[in-house]
Amino acid sequence: MRRTIVLVLTASLALVALLAAGPSSTAAGPLTGRLVDGVAPGSPAVSGMTVRLRELADGGGPGPIVDVDVTGPGGGFSLSAAGSSADEFYVQVLAGNYQGGWIGADWVEGSIGNAVTYSASASLGDILAVPAYIRGVVVNSVTKNPVSGVRVTARSQDHISEVDGADLTDSNGVFRINGLTCEDDCYLKVNGSEKGYETGFRACNAKVVATWPNACASPLGRIGRVFLDRL
């Protein structure tokens, strides 16, 4: 009888202690992932990108920022939800050398509508990011020598007369246009007339054509050489 009373008393005390402690936090973690280039062969790591963990707000959109990390040399990030009582979180990537947005199932998405929410302890694996730049080298089509001082502009197909970004080729013929948000419709215009070269749009074979309907959209990231003819 005494043993039964002791067992009941012990169980009661355990229940009181559990209730006094209140509900346990749903946050665990950390949430981890890795950003990689979604365009370049071999999907190299994307370092130096700022990543935020944000609570899912009551209205379904992004809420307060819970934690921030910067991707390391291997592209990895780790975010802690310690102190948050939320069950679901968005992962936001700020724009830099790669386009910013919200992590979806496999990509960094430009729209919150394509984002996915995750638990605090989710392991996202490799997430593909889209470059926010085009880098190339303008060369003489015959000699293959670099052409310096040539203005290269980026434009989208829907707004071909508007410049989204520009750069001048350096002494090695290199240009890099940053801050781009286009994906499959970035067209490059090469203005070589002031240097005695043709002016036109980059075509599929990396040569320059006079009108953009005969051109090809340029891939984001590193595109290699652009071949320019002398006038």
Side-chain angles (χ1 to χ4, degrees):
M1 182 69 173
R2 178 180 295 177
R3 185 183 178 194
T4 302
I5 294 173
V6 171
L7 289 174
V8 170
L9 180 60
T10 302
S12 299
L13 291 173
L15 179 59
V16 169
L18 181 62
L19 292 175
S24 60
S25 173
T26 57
L31 181 149
T32 60
R34 179 173 176 262
L35 291 186
V36 298
D37 192 309
V39 175
S43 299
V46 173
S47 63
M49 295 291 288
T50 299
V51 184
R52 293 173 171 174
L53 186 69
R54 300 186 64 164
E55 292 181 357
L56 173 66
D58 291 339
I65 299 169
V66 177
D67 196 17
V68 179
D69 195 14
V70 177
T71 58
F77 60 88
S78 179
L79 298 164
S80 172
S84 174
S85 60
D87 295 320
E88 295 180 77
F89 301 85
Y90 286 104
V91 185
Q92 181 184 19
V93 179
L94 301 190
N97 286 331
Y98 286 74
Q99 295 182 24
W102 306 88
I103 290 183
D106 300 298
W107 288 83
V108 177
E109 303 284 356
S111 169
I112 188 69
N114 294 322
V116 174
T117 57
Y118 296 93
S119 71
S121 57
S123 178
L124 308 189
D126 286 354
I127 300 297
L128 302 169
V130 178
Y133 69 91
I134 295 178
R135 180 190 184 279
V137 185
V138 176
V139 300
N140 183 302
S141 61
V142 176
T143 66
K144 306 304 185 292
N145 292 328
V147 181
S148 63
V150 170
R151 187 169 187 258
V152 183
T153 56
R155 304 142 186 267
S156 66
Q157 181 174 352
D158 293 335
H159 302 91
I160 202 67
S161 62
E162 299 177 11
V163 175
D164 294 330
D167 193 23
L168 282 177
T169 58
D170 63 16
S171 59
N172 296 312
V174 175
F175 67 90
R176 178 176 170 129
I177 303 173
N178 297 315
L180 298 176
T181 57
C182 53
E183 291 189 27
D184 300 322
D185 67 340
C186 281
Y187 287 79
L188 292 182
K189 186 174 184 180
V190 184
N191 298 273
S193 59
E194 292 185 0
K195 295 293 181 176
Y197 287 86
E198 63 184 331
T199 289
F201 293 87
R202 179 184 176 275
C204 299
N205 59 3
K207 293 185 177 181
V208 171
V209 294
T211 58
W212 77 263
N214 294 320
C216 274
S218 293
L220 293 165
R222 294 173 175 262
I223 65 169
R225 294 187 293 180
V226 179
F227 301 97
L228 199 59
D229 289 340
R230 272 203 174 278
L231 295 176

